Amino acid sequence: MKTVFYNSKVAEFFTPFSGFYTIMLFGFVFTEKKSLSTAVLLHENIHQKQYAECVGIGLCIAFLCMVLFNILWIWILPLILYYILYLVEFLVYLVRLRDRRKAYYAISFEREAYDLMGECNKSPSTRRSRKLCGWLYYLISQSYQTP
């Protein structure tokens, strides 16, 4: 299945800020570019994995809410949990740091993706592998640096 869409109007619509030309939406990558570097593809692939993990967590929460409280509309949660967490974290950092760019780079999903993005240049034997729900470590860890 094709997961990267090049020369995308979707990317143009959702990336209005300068310096940003690629976005991952619901597991699919949209970019304004004709091609992407290996590092950027890895970065977006990490976001795809993070999204899949959030879908799994969201399904568990939705199932429990449906069984315990009979809340049927909660089934939308798995699709949007990643974006809820992303937005809440961005807003918290925006208030705390008072800088949109710094707030973006402080988000745990972005910190993990940027941190592991550099691994594509290393040999396979020395490359760090991504851990399941690794973004939670970055969420708990309060230290971060702007790449």
Side-chain angles (χ1 to χ4, degrees):
M1 178 197 274
K2 183 177 176 182
T3 62
V4 180
F5 297 91
Y6 297 95
N7 297 319
S8 171
K9 297 290 182 192
V10 173
E12 287 179 25
F13 180 78
F14 283 105
T15 57
F17 306 113
S18 65
F20 296 95
Y21 51 85
T22 304
I23 189 167
M24 188 281 302
L25 294 171
F26 303 104
F28 298 97
V29 177
F30 300 91
T31 183
E32 297 175 26
K33 302 279 185 174
K34 292 179 183 176
S35 66
L36 294 174
S37 69
T38 305
V40 173
L41 285 171
L42 176 63
H43 179 95
E44 297 304 329
N45 181 259
I46 290 167
H47 284 317
Q48 289 174 314
K49 290 175 182 175
Q50 293 166 338
Y51 178 76
E53 291 164 353
C54 287
V55 167
I57 293 167
L59 282 170
C60 294
I61 294 169
F63 179 76
L64 286 173
C65 288
M66 193 191 81
V67 169
L68 298 174
F69 308 112
N70 200 24
I71 303 172
L72 296 177
W73 59 266
I74 199 71
W75 286 106
I76 189 131
L77 181 68
L79 296 176
I80 62 172
L81 181 61
Y82 174 84
Y83 301 103
I84 292 169
L85 295 173
Y86 196 102
L87 181 63
V88 167
E89 199 172 350
F90 175 76
L91 293 173
V92 166
Y93 281 117
L94 186 60
V95 167
R96 210 159 115 192
L97 301 171
R98 293 183 174 86
D99 183 309
R100 184 178 60 197
R101 191 169 184 77
K102 287 180 182 177
Y104 163 78
Y105 285 114
I107 298 168
S108 61
F109 295 117
E110 294 300 338
R111 285 193 285 158
E112 180 188 25
Y114 278 109
D115 188 27
L116 294 175
M117 195 168 133
E119 296 297 311
C120 70
N121 297 326
K122 296 181 180 177
S123 69
S125 61
T126 60
R127 227 177 258 164
R128 283 184 298 154
S129 60
R130 184 180 178 275
K131 293 179 176 31
L132 185 65
C133 293
W135 51 272
L136 288 172
Y137 164 78
Y138 293 87
L139 182 64
I140 295 165
S141 168
Q142 292 297 311
S143 63
Y144 61 90
Q145 295 177 339
T146 304

